């Protein structure tokens, strides 16, 4: 099983000049937290990292410095998340592919392994939504039933062939998706199973996430190791 | 296959630990580091014969060489499973008499060398987990007038051990730290020539404690400074 790791951040929402995947949590770059977790999974045979051109060498050096064992390549991503996945798919040779984001460093090895072991072709991690979500921007347009919604997390696993087809459709129609489960569902009407994730698997996006991330790292990741 | 690096293995606690650990079936390859190749060969002869024992006659203060040895060991054996930082340096003087050179040598051997060895070894430990043991001293936790460089360097290694315990936990790497009290070593003999060494703690006592700690009672002793001291009638 091969993995596309999206490392496309440029630090805009983080209000930093350093891209968020290279910011430090527990003194270690966020992407290394993520890569070390992936590196401990036997079933993952290759990692395809997509990143802006200016960070390619820096990422290669980082991965070498931490002596990660899983074979990897670092390629230039696209102008959007969707384009980066599409570019990454060109390098995938396995029947199924996993997609993950570098800035979700607190995913557990067990969560990856659970997705890999599931018989289903298309699976995403997801969480119940503990708050109310409504449709609209300046005014409420529609009430949404919370119990029917879920929070899409990563990693996700897909049939490589089907995901490639979905991306072809999306490119032709110039339609943008924020993640791939909805794309494959939309174009191929494929069943996408939802595997329950943990609330610790946050996406480090804004400055407050760095504060929360330090706590998760110390109390959940390290605390877990000490049990 | 398990690989173990021991510094300061030519004498004292380092030699005793090499001998003690060579009796354990958990380790197959030893890399012994110290300046004196003749004394390292003597240690080798005293160790259980079934092991592969590699001698590296290098000054522990030669930081570049340490990195090379670790990388050679990691690439040759595939992993480094045990790293025991035992080599130590002491040349005690009052504050006014402590030269920059004395300070730097003390910190190079007692702090920088363990730091570099750990930093270089961890990438080869991460996959399977491992054990790091740092030998500090009771001088690192009590005031020792006239021992400023040594005692503060030992305080540093205690602090380093505590921090690394947390930092390396997620790789399954355990970090132990022991602080021996008075022990019958060459170093101690030079510093206290009139002392009857037969009455104080022996290097073999410390070696047994270390072996027990990392192989028999490994679960609750990491991450804290363990004082090893033999009560002596005065």
């Amino acid at each position: 099983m091969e993995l596309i790791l999206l490392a496309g951040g440029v630090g805009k929402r983080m209000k930093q000049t350093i891209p968020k995947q290279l910011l430090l949590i527990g003194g270690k770059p966020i992407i290394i937290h993520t890569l070390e977790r992936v590196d401990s999974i036997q079933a993952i045979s290759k990692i395809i990292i997509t990143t802006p051109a200016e960070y390619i060498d820096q990422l290669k050096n980082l991965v070498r410095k931490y002596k990660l064992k899983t074979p990897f390549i670092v390629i230039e991503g696209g102008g959007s998340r969707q384009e980066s996945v599409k570019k990454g798919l060109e390098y995938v040779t396995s029947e199924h592919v996993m997609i993950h984001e570098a800035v979700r460093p607190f995913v557990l090895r067990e969560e990856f392994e659970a997705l890999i072991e599931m018989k289903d072709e298309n699976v995403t991690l997801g969480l119940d939504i503990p708050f109310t979500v409504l449709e609209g921007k300046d005014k409420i347009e529609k009430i949404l039933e919370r119990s029917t919604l879920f929070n899409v997390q990563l990693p996700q696993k897909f049939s490589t062939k089907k995901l490639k087809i979905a991306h072809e459709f999306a490119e032709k129609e110039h339609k943008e998706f924020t993640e791939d489960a909805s794309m494959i569902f939309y174009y191929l009407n494929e069943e996408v199973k939802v595997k329950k994730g943990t609330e610790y698997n946050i996406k480090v996006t804004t400055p407050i996430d760095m504060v929360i991330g330090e706590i998760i790292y110390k109390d959940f990741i390290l605390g877990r190791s000490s049990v | 296959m398990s690989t173990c690096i021991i510094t300061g293995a030519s004498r004292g606690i380092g030699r005793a630990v090499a001998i003690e650990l060579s009796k354990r079936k958990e380790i197959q390859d030893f890399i012994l580091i110290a300046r004196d190749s003749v004394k390292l060969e003597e240690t080798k002869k005293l160790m259980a014969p079934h092991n592969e024992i590699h001698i590296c006659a290098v000054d522990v203060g030669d930081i570049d060489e340490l990195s090379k040895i670790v990388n050679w060991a990691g690439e040759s054996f595939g992993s480094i499973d045990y790293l025991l930082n035992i080599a130590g340096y002491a040349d005690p003087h009052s504050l006014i008499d402590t030269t920059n050179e004395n300070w730097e040598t003390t910190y190079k051997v007692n702090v920088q060398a363990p730091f570099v060895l750990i930093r270089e070894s961890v990438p080869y430990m991460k996959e399977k987990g491992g054990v790091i043991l740092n030998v500090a001293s009771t001088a690192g936790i009590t005031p020792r007038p006239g021992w400023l460089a040594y005692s503060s360097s030992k305080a540093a290694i205690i602090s380093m051990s505590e921090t690394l315990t947390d930092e390396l936990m997620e790789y399954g790497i355990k970090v132990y730290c022991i602080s021996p009290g008075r022990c019958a070593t060459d170093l101690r003999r030079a510093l206290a020539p009139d002392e009857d060494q037969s009455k104080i703690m022996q290097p073999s006592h410390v070696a047994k404690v270390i072996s027990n700690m990392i192989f028999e009672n490994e679960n609750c002793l990491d991450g804290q400074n363990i004082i090893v001291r033999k009560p002596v009638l005065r």
Side-chain angles (χ1 to χ4, degrees):
Chain A
M1 176 92 63
E2 294 170 1
L3 173 99
I4 297 173
L5 186 69
L6 302 166
V10 289
K12 206 166 56 185
R13 271 183 289 189
M14 199 55 90
K15 296 171 184 154
Q16 295 262 0
T17 48
I18 305 168
K20 54 192 175 181
Q21 61 271 17
L22 296 176
L23 293 176
L24 308 180
I25 287 182
K28 193 160 62 179
I30 287 174
I31 191 170
I32 293 297
H33 284 274
T34 311
L35 281 167
E36 283 185 335
R37 212 61 44 70
V38 173
D39 201 40
S40 67
I41 301 162
Q42 292 267 321
I44 292 181
S45 55
K46 186 170 85 178
I47 305 168
I48 298 141
I49 304 171
T50 67
T51 200
E54 60 265 40
Y55 300 118
I56 288 178
D57 288 343
Q58 196 177 351
L59 275 183
K60 280 181 183 169
N61 291 336
L62 252 186
V63 176
R64 287 193 194 108
K65 189 162 96 179
Y66 279 83
K67 289 196 165 60
L68 299 171
K69 294 212 173 340
T70 312
F72 74 97
I73 53 169
V74 185
I75 62 163
E76 185 180 353
S80 65
R81 180 196 188 281
Q82 188 167 310
E83 279 178 42
S84 295
V85 174
K86 190 164 188 296
K87 280 186 150 193
L89 281 169
E90 291 169 20
Y91 295 85
V92 176
T93 55
S94 56
E95 191 184 344
H96 290 89
V97 59
M98 295 203 86
I99 314 279
H100 192 58
E101 291 162 324
V103 288
R104 285 186 183 268
F106 307 121
V107 60
L108 299 176
R109 189 184 69 207
E110 291 88 332
E111 289 177 301
F112 272 109
E113 286 172 345
L115 295 195
I116 291 168
E117 282 161 21
M118 282 173 77
K119 296 272 180 275
D120 308 87
E121 274 202 314
N122 308 303
V123 199
T124 181
L125 280 188
L127 261 189
D128 292 343
I129 293 183
F131 44 80
T132 301
V133 182
L134 300 177
E135 199 173 303
K137 267 295 177 190
D138 299 328
K139 59 184 174 64
I140 297 171
E141 303 285 356
K142 193 176 172 187
I143 304 286
L144 299 173
E145 180 51 54
R146 185 171 74 181
S147 62
T148 66
L149 303 172
F150 74 95
N151 170 3
V152 179
Q153 291 186 314
L154 267 71
Q156 300 171 329
K157 178 184 82 172
F158 301 107
S159 150
T160 308
K161 193 176 156 190
K162 288 175 181 169
L163 187 60
K164 281 181 177 174
I165 294 169
H167 271 272
E168 293 297 334
F169 277 125
E171 191 177 54
K172 259 184 218 157
E173 293 186 6
H174 304 291
K175 198 167 169 60
E176 280 288 326
F177 291 82
T178 53
E179 51 77 48
D180 296 272
S182 36
M183 183 198 284
I184 209 164
F185 176 77
Y186 180 81
Y187 283 116
L188 305 183
N189 200 24
E190 280 286 311
E191 181 174 271
V192 182
K193 278 278 168 63
V194 181
K195 171 87 182 156
K196 196 161 186 165
T198 72
E199 58 200 339
Y200 301 104
N201 183 13
I202 63 165
K203 182 172 174 177
V204 179
T205 310
T206 59
I208 189 68
D209 295 331
M210 291 297 289
V211 179
I212 296 167
E214 285 284 347
I215 295 167
I216 294 176
Y217 175 59
K218 283 181 188 132
D219 288 1
F220 178 61
I221 298 294
L222 295 182
R224 214 173 152 270
S225 312
S226 66
V227 174
Chain B
M1 290 288 283
S2 275
T3 304
C4 174
I5 296 177
I6 304 175
T7 69
S10 59
R11 58 187 182 155
I13 294 172
R15 171 180 282 183
V17 168
I19 294 166
E20 187 66 32
L21 295 194
S22 71
K23 299 171 191 167
R24 305 288 314 196
K25 62 180 184 317
E26 291 90 342
I27 303 171
Q28 288 77 43
D29 295 297
F30 283 87
I31 293 131
L32 307 182
I33 305 176
R35 267 176 306 186
D36 191 329
S37 62
V38 175
K39 285 193 176 296
L40 280 176
E41 286 293 346
E42 285 172 19
T43 303
K44 184 175 176 178
K45 281 184 191 143
L46 294 165
M47 291 170 70
H50 61 274
N51 302 288
E52 280 285 326
I53 300 164
H54 305 267
I55 287 194
C56 298
V58 168
D59 187 332
V60 172
D62 189 344
I63 300 299
D64 291 341
E65 275 306 307
L66 295 183
S67 298
K68 285 181 197 159
I69 291 169
V70 172
N71 285 307
W72 164 78
E75 297 302 324
S76 305
F77 303 110
S79 69
I80 293 168
D81 306 277
Y82 300 87
L83 168 65
L84 291 92
N85 288 307
I86 303 178
Y89 178 84
D91 183 14
H93 294 285
S94 68
L95 167 68
I96 300 301
D97 289 331
T98 299
T99 61
N100 289 349
E101 192 186 6
N102 176 324
W103 183 272
E104 281 161 15
T105 305
T106 307
Y107 268 72
K108 199 168 249 189
V109 174
N110 294 356
V111 182
Q112 196 180 354
F115 152 67
V116 168
L117 284 163
I118 293 168
R119 186 191 63 198
E120 299 299 314
S121 295
V122 162
Y124 296 106
M125 277 189 179
K126 282 197 309 188
E127 198 178 349
K128 291 195 291 173
V131 167
I132 294 166
L133 179 127
N134 298 319
V135 174
S137 165
T138 49
I141 50 170
T142 50
R144 296 283 166 100
W147 290 70
L148 182 66
Y150 181 78
S151 59
S152 64
S153 74
K154 290 302 183 181
I157 198 78
I158 291 167
S159 173
M160 247 170 72
S161 305
E162 289 169 352
T163 295
L164 287 172
T165 297
D166 281 5
E167 189 164 332
L168 303 180
M169 198 182 278
E170 65 175 314
Y171 305 133
I173 297 173
K174 289 189 169 177
V175 182
Y176 297 90
C177 180
I178 66 155
S179 284
R182 287 189 296 163
C183 186
T185 61
D186 291 351
L187 184 68
R188 176 83 197 168
R189 190 174 292 115
L191 299 169
D194 298 332
E195 187 174 56
D196 180 355
Q197 285 216 330
S198 68
K199 291 197 173 152
I200 63 173
M201 183 166 67
Q202 302 300 305
S204 59
H205 293 145
V206 181
K208 279 206 166 62
V209 169
I210 289 174
S211 179
N212 279 333
M213 190 158 67
I214 62 180
F215 291 115
E216 309 293 344
N217 300 299
E218 70 272 27
N219 277 329
C220 296
L221 297 173
D222 54 324
Q224 53 202 306
N225 182 36
I226 304 288
I227 295 165
V228 184
R229 201 156 30 193
K230 184 185 171 198
V232 179
L233 271 178
R234 291 171 193 273

